[in-house]
């Protein structure tokens, strides 16, 4: 009789990884600037969405000493199907975080900084107070740095959160719609499309001078006309800047890439967005919310000034 007890258990098949097309591949980060930026974030106990979300542009951005700081910890209270950030019960908010963000901005010599966060549904204000403290610290320590924030939706706390943050005066208020309404139940189950749209409307209603920005990912199974409708919805909310980039699957456990959208298709979407009246458009496979954010901000500001001058004339 054969002894089967020692036989190794059959291995379960490993999930197949999708092969990326040539236009989406990037080199591994190895530069001195990359390592210096990484070490600075470690020294100041700061998190970055660049690392936590496995951004493909991290090598390029960190080499240039550009980083998107992620405040309120590295654990999110949501579990979106596209996101690589850890989900669970977050730790206490770090009281030194605002000062450390300002120190990092000063040491990196940033002209423009992007501040984002995890969702903090556990906090009474959704984390809005920490955004305010970070903005205030940056204004105090690096007054010439323009500030862009990328916020969560502040579910059930939206209006007071927006009022507090707008009073602090960021230059750009970004909140991503992420995908088309039809895909929200599977891709962004903890959020509501029209609640996110209303947040962007509320920012403009509170302070029309703050630039608003929003983005979507392509390749999740959305249809072309659905993307056009999202553009129209954003324009109805008076959003100034739209970003469109290729969704990439962080791990086999996350939502699958349904389609790798070609650079030509992205260029076509970008042309349509410009025709719809956005001040600034960024549309390419590697576009991300904060990719080239400083340069885009300068161009958006110039576009607004040109539009206002034309209206006066």
């Amino acid at each position: 009789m054969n002894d089967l007890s020692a036989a190794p258990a059959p291995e379960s098949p490993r999930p197949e990884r999708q092969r990326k097309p040539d236009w989406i591949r990037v080199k591994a980060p190895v530069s001195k600037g990359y390592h210096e930026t990484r070490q600075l974030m470690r020294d100041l106990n700061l998190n970055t969405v660049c690392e936590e979300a496995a951004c493909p542009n991290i090598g390029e951005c960190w080499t240039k000493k550009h980083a998107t700081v992620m405040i309120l910890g590295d654990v999110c209270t949501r579990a979106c199907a596209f996101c690589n950030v850890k989900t669970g019960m977050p730790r206490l908010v770090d009281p030194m975080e605002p000062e450390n963000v300002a120190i990092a901005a000063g040491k990196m010599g940033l002209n423009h900084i992007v501040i984002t966060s995890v969702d903090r549904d556990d906090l009474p204000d959704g984390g809005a107070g920490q955004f305010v403290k970070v903005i205030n610290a940056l204004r105090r320590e690096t007054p010439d740095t323009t500030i862009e924030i990328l916020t969560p939706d502040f579910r059930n706390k939206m209006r007071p959160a927006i009022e507090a943050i707008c009073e602090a005066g960021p230059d750009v208020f970004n909140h991503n719609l992420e995908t088309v309404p039809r895909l929200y139940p599977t891709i962004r189950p903890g959020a509501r499309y029209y609640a996110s749209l209303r947040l962007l409307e509320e920012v403009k209603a509170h302070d029309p001078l703050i630039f608003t920005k929003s983005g979507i990912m392509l390749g999740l199974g959305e249809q072309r006309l659905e993307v056009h409708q999202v553009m129209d919805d954003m324009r109805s909310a008076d959003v100034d800047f739209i970003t469109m980039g290729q969704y990439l699957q962080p791990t086999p456990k996350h939502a699958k890439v349904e389609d790798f959208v070609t650079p030509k298709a992205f260029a076509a979407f970008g042309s349509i967005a410009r025709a719809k009246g956005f001040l600034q458009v960024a549309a390419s496979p590697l576009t991300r919310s904060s990719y080239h954010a400083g340069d885009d901000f300068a161009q958006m500001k110039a576009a607004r000034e040109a539009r206002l001058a034309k209206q006066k004339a």
Side-chain angles (χ1 to χ4, degrees):
M1 192 173 193
N2 293 330
D3 181 8
L4 300 178
S5 61
E11 291 187 13
S12 57
R14 298 180 65 180
E16 185 179 343
R17 296 302 296 263
Q18 291 166 292
R19 182 176 174 81
K20 298 183 181 71
D22 292 339
W23 65 76
I24 205 75
R25 294 178 192 171
V26 294
K27 294 180 180 179
V30 294
S31 72
K32 180 183 176 184
Y34 165 82
H35 291 292
E36 288 175 349
T37 301
R38 186 175 186 272
Q39 190 57 50
L40 178 62
M41 296 299 142
R42 297 290 181 275
D43 293 344
L44 293 171
N45 195 33
L46 294 174
N47 300 297
T48 69
V49 75
C50 319
E51 289 181 289
E52 301 299 333
C55 179
N57 302 316
I58 189 170
E60 178 186 345
C61 293
W62 282 24
T63 295
K64 297 177 179 177
K65 296 190 180 297
H66 297 166
T68 299
V69 179
M70 189 172 76
I71 63 173
L72 294 164
D74 63 352
V75 179
C76 188
T77 54
R78 307 274 179 95
C80 295
F82 63 86
C83 185
N84 199 41
V85 175
K86 296 189 290 288
T87 299
M89 180 52 68
R91 294 186 290 271
L92 294 175
V93 176
D94 179 3
M96 293 303 298
E97 193 171 57
E99 294 302 322
N100 286 338
V101 172
I103 290 169
K107 288 189 174 183
M108 294 171 74
L110 297 182
N111 295 319
H112 187 82
I113 188 170
V114 183
I115 308 297
T116 190
S117 80
V118 291
D119 278 281
R120 290 298 300 260
D121 297 316
D122 58 310
L123 298 176
D125 67 350
Q130 191 76 339
F131 272 99
V132 171
K133 290 175 183 176
V134 170
I135 293 168
N136 290 340
L138 287 164
R139 294 290 186 220
R140 185 173 60 250
E141 301 298 330
T142 58
D144 295 329
T145 303
T146 50
I147 301 170
E148 179 173 328
I149 58 169
L150 171 55
T151 75
D153 60 10
F154 301 114
R155 188 171 61 195
N156 302 324
K157 309 152 182 131
M158 183 186 70
R159 186 159 289 171
I162 289 171
E163 290 176 356
I165 292 173
C166 286
E167 287 300 318
D171 297 283
V172 182
F173 197 123
N174 185 359
H175 174 68
N176 286 331
L177 294 182
E178 306 292 10
T179 189
V180 301
R182 177 176 57 84
L183 297 178
Y184 261 58
T186 53
I187 300 302
R188 203 176 172 218
R192 300 292 179 269
Y193 177 82
Y194 289 102
S196 285
L197 201 61
R198 191 164 64 250
L199 181 150
L200 293 160
E201 289 177 328
E202 289 281 344
V203 172
K204 277 293 187 184
H206 194 83
D207 187 348
L209 294 180
I210 294 178
F211 289 100
T212 50
K213 179 176 175 180
S214 189
I216 60 170
M217 301 170 289
L218 302 184
L220 285 162
E222 68 289 329
Q223 300 298 312
R224 180 172 56 85
L225 292 181
E226 289 179 309
V227 177
H228 293 178
Q229 184 60 56
V230 170
M231 293 181 195
D232 289 336
D233 291 343
M234 287 188 188
R235 290 303 300 131
S236 295
D238 203 17
V239 171
D240 298 301
F241 184 178
I242 183 174
T243 61
M244 291 176 275
Q246 172 70 51
Y247 165 68
L248 296 176
Q249 186 182 30
T251 75
K253 296 179 181 179
H254 289 82
K256 185 182 176 182
V257 176
E258 297 295 334
D259 182 34
F260 284 107
V261 181
T262 65
K264 185 177 179 180
F266 270 106
F269 279 126
S271 295
I272 292 167
R274 278 182 278 274
K276 289 180 181 293
F278 289 95
L279 284 176
Q280 183 71 3
V281 176
S284 75
L286 288 174
T287 290
R288 297 296 181 266
S289 290
S290 52
Y291 189 43
H292 296 162
D295 293 338
D296 284 333
F297 172 71
Q299 293 173 23
M300 180 167 55
K301 191 175 179 181
R304 176 191 276 178
E305 290 169 355
R307 183 176 291 182
L308 290 173
K310 186 175 181 180
Q311 289 171 353
K312 287 180 180 179

